[in-house]
Amino acid sequence: MTLLDGQCLCGQCRLSGEGPALKAVHCQCTDCQKLSGAGHKVNVIVAKGSVHLTGPVTTFKSTADSGNENSRTFCANCGTQMLRTNSGMPDVAIIHAGTLNNPANVTPSAVIWNKSAVVWDYCDPKLPVFPEAPT
Ligand SMILES: [Zn+2]
Ligand SMILES: [Zn+2]
């Protein structure tokens, strides 16, 4: 088992990661609120191509305010979000800490998109906070 092995709720979709995570962040953007049904999502950023996904999937695409295309891949059976890419970040993909077999293998290092945070959402106050995505 590698650091970034994971699976969906029903077990039909499986992630296998070759490399370490580049970074993990708490993201409080409104998309992550919708996707998680919570105040933020823990996004794990990996090199594109370093994580392999198997199983039945469906993909939802949308255009961000920036004009970039966001692509989100879900388990077609249970709906768990498995993988996300953004045309503005062609070298990376995003997976979600909660889908990992061992979520404690990643450590969030920042809070991003804090300008859209919900007042009741709580993140580690020791982490650096950015109003949007840091450049
Ligand atoms: Zn599933
Ligand atoms: Zn987000």
Side-chain angles (χ1 to χ4, degrees), residues 27-29 31-32 43 84 113:
C27 183
Q28 296 178 312
C29 81
D31 280 359
C32 285
N43 289 337
R84 184 171 134 208
W113 286 100

Side-chain angles (χ1 to χ4, degrees), residues 60-121:
F60 172 70
K61 294 183 178 182
S62 65
T63 303
D65 291 343
S66 60
N68 294 329
E69 184 181 75
N70 271 313
S71 174
R72 303 171 186 87
T73 300
F74 300 82
C75 172
N77 186 51
C78 72
T80 302
Q81 190 192 177
M82 301 302 293
L83 189 73
R84 184 171 134 208
T85 58
N86 182 310
S87 63
M89 301 185 292
D91 300 329
V92 301
I94 296 171
I95 59 176
H96 310 291
T99 61
L100 299 177
N101 292 333
N102 186 355
N105 282 346
V106 297
T107 304
S109 61
V111 179
I112 68 171
W113 286 100
N114 181 253
K115 74 177 190 182
S116 53
V118 182
V119 291
W120 43 255
D121 191 31

Side-chain angles (χ1 to χ4, degrees), residues 4 9 13 18 23 31 37 50 53 59 64 71 75 86-87 94-95 107 110 124 132:
L4 300 182
L9 182 61
C13 283
E18 287 167 7
K23 186 193 253 194
D31 280 359
S50 71
L53 179 60
T59 298
S71 174
C75 172
N86 182 310
S87 63
I94 296 171
I95 59 176
T107 304
D124 182 347
E132 296 184 356

